[in-house]
Amino acid sequence: VSESAAAEINATREAGGRIIPVGTTACRLIESAAGAECIHPWSGETDIFIRPGYKFRIADGLMTNFHLPRSTLMMLVSALMGRDRMLALYAHAIAERYRFFSYGDASLLLPKG
C-alpha cells in the first residue's frame, strides 16, 4: 500500500465514503495494512486469515467473483456478509446458473448495517 494510496483511502473514509476493494487479495492487503482507525503505507507478506468472526477495519464491502464452496475465500466473504446470507446468495447463483471460478460472474458484496 503506497503512501498516496493510504492517504486516499483515509481521506475517503474521513469524508464518509466507503472502501470497497476489488478482489479478495486487495481486501487482505488493506486489512493487513490497517491500524486501529486508518490504513498505513505497508509492504510485505501477510498471514492474515479472514474467516467468520473477523472484524473488518478498512473494507466496507467487496467486489469479487463467486468462489468455490468450502474454500478459504468463501470463509472470507462469509466473514463480511454472514454465512447464512452467503449461502442464500450462492443458492441463487446456482439456480440462475452463474459462472464460478476466477473468470466467472462478479458480485458486489455490501454487508447490512
Side-chain angles (χ1 to χ4, degrees):
V1 176
S2 68
E3 190 171 320
S4 63
E8 190 169 331
I9 290 168
N10 290 329
T12 298
R13 288 179 60 93
E14 288 171 15
R18 292 189 287 190
I19 306 303
I20 302 175
V22 177
T24 55
T25 301
C27 182
R28 290 180 70 237
L29 172 65
I30 65 172
E31 289 296 316
S32 295
E37 303 212 4
C38 65
I39 189 169
H40 304 284
W42 184 81
S43 176
E45 294 183 16
T46 184
D47 63 356
I48 191 171
F49 182 32
I50 300 174
R51 59 185 176 268
Y54 179 84
K55 302 291 183 216
F56 287 85
R57 296 178 286 172
I58 299 295
D60 298 309
L62 176 63
M63 179 163 255
T64 189
N65 60 305
F66 285 88
H67 304 288
L68 290 176
R70 299 187 183 128
S71 68
T72 57
L73 298 176
M74 183 64 164
M75 293 175 79
L76 186 154
V77 296
S78 293
L80 181 68
M81 301 295 291
R83 184 176 181 275
D84 291 340
R85 190 166 177 210
M86 285 310 304
L87 290 175
L89 291 170
Y90 271 61
H92 171 80
I94 291 167
E96 296 297 322
R97 304 180 58 88
Y98 288 15
R99 292 176 38 192
F100 285 64
F101 303 113
S102 296
Y103 297 105
D105 290 310
S107 60
L108 173 60
L109 302 175
L110 300 171
K112 292 180 180 178

